[in-house]
Structure formats: C-alpha cells, structure tokens
Amino acid sequence: MFFNPFAMMSASAIPQKRHSRLRELDLRMQDFLTTKRGAASGKVLENVKSARDHVRREIQGNNLSRAPK
C-alpha cells in the first residue's frame, strides 16, 4: 500500500486547489518584482518575470479548460 495525498480530495477539488495556488504564486511574484525593482540583480528579476509569465499561462490555460463548451 502507498500514501496518496489526494485520497481525501474530490476530483474537482484538485484543479480548483491548483488554480488558487497558482493565483497565490502569481501575486507573490508580482509583489516581489514590485518590491525588489532596482534592488535585485537583473538576472534574478528576469528569472522571476519568466516564471511569473509561465504561471500566468498556466492560469489562463486552466480558465480556458473550465469554460463552458
């Protein structure tokens, strides 16, 4: 037998949880970029911007997959 961390979650709760975590991550990265502008190295800021863009694409993809057909 193995441990399944999602055993207690319904199938619809998993994508909803992922979406909320992605939104939280997006907000945290945006706050970091706003706070650290000029204080962090350019490479760090570019890496965070790239990761934020990736998260936003994931969020957009989740929104499109939930749209009524």
Side-chain angles (χ1 to χ4, degrees):
M1 186 160 212
F2 62 92
F3 174 72
N4 183 355
F6 303 109
M8 302 302 284
M9 297 179 99
S10 68
S12 65
I14 293 170
Q16 206 169 34
K17 177 90 171 161
R18 176 178 165 77
H19 182 73
S20 66
R21 295 293 304 268
L22 287 171
R23 294 290 302 155
E24 177 187 346
L25 183 59
D26 177 45
L27 292 172
R28 291 177 68 191
M29 285 191 285
Q30 183 60 41
D31 184 50
F32 175 85
L33 289 170
T34 302
T35 303
K36 300 298 182 181
R37 187 173 313 190
S41 76
K43 184 156 179 72
V44 169
L45 293 177
E46 287 302 315
N47 287 342
V48 172
K49 284 179 186 177
S50 175
R52 184 194 61 193
D53 291 342
H54 178 76
V55 166
R56 286 183 175 176
R57 283 191 300 274
E58 286 285 323
I59 291 169
Q60 186 66 21
N62 286 342
N63 287 341
L64 292 176
S65 67
R66 291 186 193 177
K69 295 179 181 177

